[in-house]
């Protein structure tokens, strides 16, 4: 392999590394192949066996993990389908957001009911930057967003209820009956909040509804909206982890990359 090919391989390796690190903005530039073979260009076989030259690719790649998407971008992402990014039930408006009730129940020592207003006033409320990427987003797609979300962690809500020994499953149920069952262990190993605010605006502006479950390192199709109950269960076998073949997911649960800008060098 000559020096040019090594540089190309190195640049490709860098891009793959960025993809594995997390959401980011990638800037890429590529030169068009000149008519004459440049010094050091690799000769490859073209159509009909004719000799051709591969293009010389040069450029820089950069990324960021602290850029916040606009509320319009987040809304386009989270409202993509009634069956994705949290399932159905996102537009219920009969109950004011502050009065929305969430019951924490099941195999717990002290079941209780809280409201969105209670969650908003909770001293444990945190504002964090979380990414949300569509599982079908291509490497150069823009179906990735990053938002400042505000909420209370599910783990803290469960700790307050006192999870029974041996419990292994948590079921999130929307007001319309839509359910997502997740392993208790999976939830406690990630920061997974019940969110009521996105980028300083009510969750209704971004996803519809009054609240939404966000899950760290998890596809947005598990992000339940309008959570009405959080039920702890003890099952013979816990549900499979999201992102695995056992869960019926056909994709790898890996961070994605959205390309914010790209162009050709003259």
């Amino acid at each position: 392999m000559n020096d040019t090919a090594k540089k190309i391989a190195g640049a490709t390796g860098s891009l793959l590394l960025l993809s594995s690190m997390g959401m980011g903005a990638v800037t890429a530039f590529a030169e068009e192949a000149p008519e004459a073979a440049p010094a050091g260009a690799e000769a490859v076989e073209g159509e009909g066996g004719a000799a051709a030259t591969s293009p010389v690719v040069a450029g820089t790649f950069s990324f960021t993990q602290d850029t916040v998407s606009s509320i319009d971008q987040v809304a386009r992402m989270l409202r993509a389908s009634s069956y994705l990014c949290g399932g159905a039930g996102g537009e219920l408006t009969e109950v004011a957001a502050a009065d929305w009730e969430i019951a924490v129940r099941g195999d717990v020592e002290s079941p209780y009911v809280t409201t969105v207003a209670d969650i908003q006033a909770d001293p444990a409320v945190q504002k964090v930057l979380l990414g949300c990427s569509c599982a079908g987003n291509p490497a150069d797609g823009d179906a990735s967003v990053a938002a400042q979300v505000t909420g209370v962690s599910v783990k803290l809500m469960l700790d307050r209820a006192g999870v029974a020994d041996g419990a292994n499953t948590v079921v999130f149920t929307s007001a319309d009956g839509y359910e997502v069952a997740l392993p208790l262990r999976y939830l406690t190993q990630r920061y997974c909040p019940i969110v009521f605010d996105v980028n300083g605006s009510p969750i209704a502006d971004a996803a519809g509804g009054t609240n939404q479950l966000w899950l760290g390192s998890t596809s947005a199709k598990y992000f339940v909206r309008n959570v009405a109950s959080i039920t702890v269960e003890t099952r013979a076998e816990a549900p499979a982890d999201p992102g695995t073949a056992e869960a019926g997911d056909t994709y790898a649960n890996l961070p994605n990359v959205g390309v914010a800008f790209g162009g050709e060098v003259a």
Side-chain angles (χ1 to χ4, degrees):
M1 181 182 292
N2 59 33
D3 291 341
T4 301
K6 291 178 180 177
K7 290 179 180 177
I8 295 172
T12 304
S14 297
L15 180 56
L16 294 175
L17 177 60
L18 295 181
S19 298
S20 68
M21 290 176 66
M23 261 181 77
V26 178
T27 304
F29 301 94
E31 291 184 355
E32 294 182 358
E35 295 181 2
E42 289 255 350
V44 296
E45 186 174 316
E47 294 184 5
T53 58
S54 61
V56 175
V57 179
T60 59
F61 298 94
S62 62
F63 74 100
T64 178
Q65 292 180 305
D66 58 5
T67 298
V68 176
S69 306
S70 70
I71 196 70
D72 290 338
Q73 289 174 304
V74 177
R76 285 199 303 273
M77 175 72 180
L78 295 183
R79 293 172 183 257
S81 167
S82 61
Y83 299 102
L84 298 175
C85 304
E91 301 301 331
L92 301 178
T93 56
E94 295 180 1
V95 178
D99 298 328
W100 188 272
E101 293 185 344
I102 301 175
V104 182
R105 61 193 185 189
D107 293 341
V108 296
E109 297 173 0
S110 304
Y112 65 92
V113 176
T114 188
T115 66
V116 169
D118 293 335
I119 294 175
Q120 290 173 323
D122 197 310
V125 160
Q126 289 183 304
K127 178 183 289 186
V128 298
L129 180 66
L130 287 180
C132 177
S133 181
C134 178
N137 187 43
D140 60 346
D142 62 356
S144 289
V145 296
Q148 288 279 3
V149 300
T150 306
V152 172
S153 77
V154 171
K155 181 180 183 302
L156 179 62
M157 296 177 71
L158 294 177
D159 287 345
R160 289 173 175 172
V163 175
D165 292 341
N168 57 11
T169 303
V170 181
V171 180
F172 297 87
T173 306
S174 178
D176 64 353
Y178 180 82
E179 289 187 351
V180 169
L182 296 167
L184 173 63
R185 169 191 49 77
Y186 188 89
L187 289 168
T188 57
Q189 289 178 345
R190 293 160 175 77
Y191 181 68
C192 303
I194 296 293
V195 171
F196 58 83
D197 181 288
V198 175
N199 291 355
S201 297
I203 187 72
D205 294 343
T210 63
N211 68 83
Q212 185 173 29
L213 168 70
W214 281 53
L215 301 163
S217 305
T218 307
S219 168
K221 79 174 188 177
Y222 293 94
F223 287 22
V224 185
R225 286 177 285 190
N226 280 330
V227 176
S229 65
I230 302 173
T231 306
V232 178
E233 297 180 358
T234 304
R235 298 185 177 183
E237 185 174 347
D241 288 355
T244 63
E246 291 77 11
D249 294 333
T250 58
Y251 58 90
N253 184 22
L254 297 173
N256 209 330
V257 171
V259 177
F261 172 80
E264 292 185 351
V265 176

